[in-house]
Amino acid sequence: MTEKENTGAESSEQELSDAVEEALAEASVVVDEVATLTADLQRLQADYSNYRKRVERERAAAHEFSTSLVILELLPVLDDISRAEAHGELTGGFKAVADQLISITTKLGLAKFEDINVPFDPMIHEALMHNTSTDVTETTATQVLRPGYKFKERVIRTAQVAVTDPEN
């Protein structure tokens, strides 16, 4: 090989080396851009997923709230049905309608509570009368004056009760 060919080969190698380094630098920039865009996309996907979950929770809460408002308005009717049944005045077709109404509200998640001789709990009881007795060892709801109701584990109306305290 001549000196001129040798110099030409070296410059060709240098150009090729420079071109490879430039291509690698450009590829590095592109890889960084792809990584940034991928991170942005993942962040957006997470934000959208969280948004969908929040909207679904809010929709379920709004549905439950509106159902509880309707049921709350039906409580006086359910009280009247209970009183009529206790006095033997609920018969015939009216009994069938009453049973169906009670069945529907129970299926929706309404639960009546009117337990007696249970410890007084201000979260579910409203004390209207107060007595003392040696028969109890702690403050106890001994008589239910008006039953309370829970809708899906949330008290929507407290039970009105007579409370008995132990005598000292």
Side-chain angles (χ1 to χ4, degrees):
M1 243 198 214
T2 64
E3 193 173 306
K4 190 175 184 183
E5 287 177 353
N6 208 9
T7 307
E10 286 178 11
S11 70
S12 180
E13 276 185 34
Q14 184 62 38
E15 288 174 8
L16 184 60
S17 177
D18 290 344
V20 167
E21 286 180 24
E22 186 178 321
L24 286 175
E26 287 177 14
S28 176
V29 169
V30 170
V31 167
D32 288 345
E33 286 180 21
V34 168
T36 302
L37 291 174
T38 301
D40 288 347
L41 178 62
Q42 288 173 340
R43 203 172 13 264
L44 283 172
Q45 285 176 328
D47 287 346
Y48 180 68
S49 176
N50 290 336
Y51 166 77
R52 280 190 12 240
K53 290 174 187 175
R54 188 185 56 187
V55 166
E56 185 58 36
R57 278 192 313 267
E58 288 172 356
R59 185 177 338 147
H63 179 265
E64 186 173 314
F65 179 73
S66 61
T67 303
S68 71
L69 288 177
V70 171
I71 287 179
L72 193 59
E73 293 297 320
L74 289 174
L75 293 184
V77 175
L78 295 173
D79 288 340
D80 291 342
I81 289 171
S82 293
R83 283 190 288 273
E85 191 172 37
H87 290 104
E89 297 176 5
L90 194 61
T91 58
F94 290 118
K95 178 159 179 40
V97 171
D99 290 343
Q100 189 175 19
L101 181 63
I102 291 169
S103 172
I104 289 169
T105 55
T106 301
K107 185 169 64 172
L108 289 173
L110 184 68
K112 182 179 191 178
F113 59 92
E114 54 185 346
D115 299 332
I116 58 171
N117 296 324
V118 295
F120 176 75
D121 181 358
M123 299 300 289
I124 62 171
H125 297 123
E126 177 183 353
L128 296 182
M129 296 182 352
H130 186 266
N131 297 315
T132 58
S133 173
T134 56
D135 295 337
V136 296
T137 58
E138 63 181 332
T139 304
T140 306
T142 52
Q143 182 183 5
V144 176
L145 306 172
R146 184 186 77 183
Y149 288 92
K150 287 183 180 182
F151 176 67
K152 296 187 177 182
E153 302 305 318
R154 186 172 56 93
V155 176
I156 60 172
R157 185 176 83 182
T158 58
Q160 293 179 339
V161 296
V163 176
T164 303
D165 279 331
E167 286 184 356
N168 292 337

